[in-house]
């Protein structure tokens, strides 16, 4: 039985004051909900997340990681640094990184490798654009993105990945994928993993991301291959984030 997991992606939002209110609102509103929960914060706020969440059931993580271990890579943040601040998760290959920073699937795969080497859980994001969906290329696109990761991850590490299906047309647009569209993509991704890693495929958590809100979370989470959510906008308000967690 796979546990449900809900991760908030704060993107480039927050301030020390706003984060304090958000973190304490989340912690205060959580009870024994039977799912895992985390927030992925901007790197400068990792220490704040660590201070505010240590000893709670909420884990924390980052939104990107360098493929390099250390050295002359100005502006980069290594997996070991994230680990130093107690991070559990790191997003790899969010569509905004792929679109605005030209991250290729091969680079994303190397980021997942770097994260795993430091003991972090990479949350590897996949998704098609609207044009690709309309051209009937969804499966081809997400399969290629996934395969780039499977090609470089050691067999024994496949079960340590978290996958996130995030159709680009649904991110931040208010256009949520229907539960059936999301379920079809999740099942497809799981089947792709299963071709080489049957046991890991059955256990790997696949999150849905794209305009998930308290109102639509329950139906999405009820799908057999949707194991939780990666939440952007709705993760910035404690009441909405908690509403999604409660829908689990
Ligand atoms: C995201 O950024 O990962 C995301 C899912 O955003 P939103 O929930 O705002 O669509």
């Amino acid at each position: 039985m796979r546990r449900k997991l809900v991760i908030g992606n704060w993107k480039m939002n927050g301030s020390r004051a706003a984060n304090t209110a958000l973190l304490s609102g989340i912690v205060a509103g959580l009870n024994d909900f039977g799912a895992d929960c985390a927030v992925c914060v901007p790197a400068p706020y990792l220490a704040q997340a660590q201070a505010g969440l240590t000893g709670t059931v909420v884990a924390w993580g980052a939104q990107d990681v360098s493929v390099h271990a250390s050295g002359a890579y100005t502006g980069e943040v290594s997996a070991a640094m994230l680990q130093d601040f107690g991070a559990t998760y790191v997003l790899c290959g969010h569509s905004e990184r792929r679109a605005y920073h030209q991250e290729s699937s091969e680079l994303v795969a190397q980021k997942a490798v770097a994260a795993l080497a430091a003991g972090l859980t990479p949350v590897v994001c996949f998704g098609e654009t609207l044009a690709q969906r309309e051209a009937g290329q969804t499966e081809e696109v997400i399969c290629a993105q996934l395969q780039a990761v499977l090609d470089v991850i050691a067999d024994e590490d496949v079960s340590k990945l978290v996958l996130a299906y995030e159709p680009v047309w649904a991110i931040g647009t208010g256009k949520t994928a229907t539960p059936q569209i999301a379920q079809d993509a999740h099942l497809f991704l799981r089947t792709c993993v299963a071709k080489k890693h049957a046991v890991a495929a059955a256990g790997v958590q696949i999150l849905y991301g794209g305009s998930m809100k308290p109102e639509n979370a329950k139906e999405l989470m009820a799908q057999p291959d949707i194991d939780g959510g990666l939440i952007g906008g709705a993760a910035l308000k404690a009441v909405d984030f908690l509403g999604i967690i409660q829908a689990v």
Side-chain angles (χ1 to χ4, degrees):
M1 179 76 181
R2 294 183 298 272
R3 273 179 76 78
K4 298 275 192 206
L5 170 63
V6 178
I7 300 181
N9 170 16
W10 289 5
K11 311 197 189 206
M12 198 175 71
N13 292 294
S15 65
R16 281 200 294 165
N19 302 344
T20 299
L22 180 51
L23 292 174
S24 52
I26 294 169
V27 170
L30 279 176
N31 40 38
D32 188 11
F33 52 91
D36 295 326
C37 165
V39 289
C40 286
V41 305
Y45 297 131
L46 277 166
Q48 189 181 17
Q50 183 177 34
L53 297 175
T54 296
T56 75
V57 294
V58 185
W60 59 95
Q63 301 168 12
D64 187 28
V65 65
S66 177
V67 298
H68 304 290
S70 66
Y73 301 103
T74 303
E76 297 269 276
V77 176
S78 73
M81 292 171 184
L82 303 181
Q83 212 252 358
D84 210 11
F85 283 96
T88 299
Y89 297 100
V90 61
L91 307 184
C92 297
H94 188 282
S95 63
E96 288 152 15
R97 303 279 329 158
R98 292 181 192 256
Y100 307 143
H101 300 272
Q102 290 74 46
E103 291 195 5
S104 66
S105 294
E106 291 67 32
L107 182 75
V108 171
Q110 290 304 330
K111 291 187 172 197
V113 170
L116 286 164
L120 301 171
T121 299
V123 180
V124 191
C125 305
F126 312 100
E128 80 286 2
T129 63
L130 185 58
Q132 289 165 334
R133 171 158 286 273
E134 286 175 349
Q137 296 167 341
T138 298
E139 293 194 348
E140 184 191 327
V141 168
I142 61 178
C143 180
Q145 291 172 341
L146 171 64
Q147 196 54 50
V149 178
L150 296 180
D151 283 349
V152 297
I153 296 285
D155 287 354
E156 64 273 20
D157 283 344
V158 175
S159 62
K160 297 179 190 161
L161 299 172
V162 171
L163 309 182
Y165 171 60
E166 295 209 304
V168 178
W169 47 271
I171 295 180
T173 59
K175 289 186 194 144
T176 318
T178 63
Q180 194 57 55
I181 286 179
Q183 164 59 24
D184 288 349
H186 283 229
L187 178 59
F188 174 74
L189 285 169
R190 198 178 301 286
T191 308
C192 293
V193 178
K195 284 188 184 141
K196 209 173 145 210
H197 309 278
V199 176
V204 74
Q205 290 168 309
I206 309 181
L207 313 184
Y208 168 77
S211 298
M212 196 186 270
K213 310 181 250 294
E215 306 85 69
N216 58 30
K218 197 166 186 170
E219 225 191 325
L220 284 160
M221 304 275 197
Q223 302 304 310
D225 287 285
I226 299 185
D227 305 312
L230 181 54
I231 321 297
L236 297 175
K237 278 194 191 155
V239 66
D240 289 346
F241 193 53
L242 290 166
I244 292 172
I245 294 167
Q246 269 148 21
V248 172

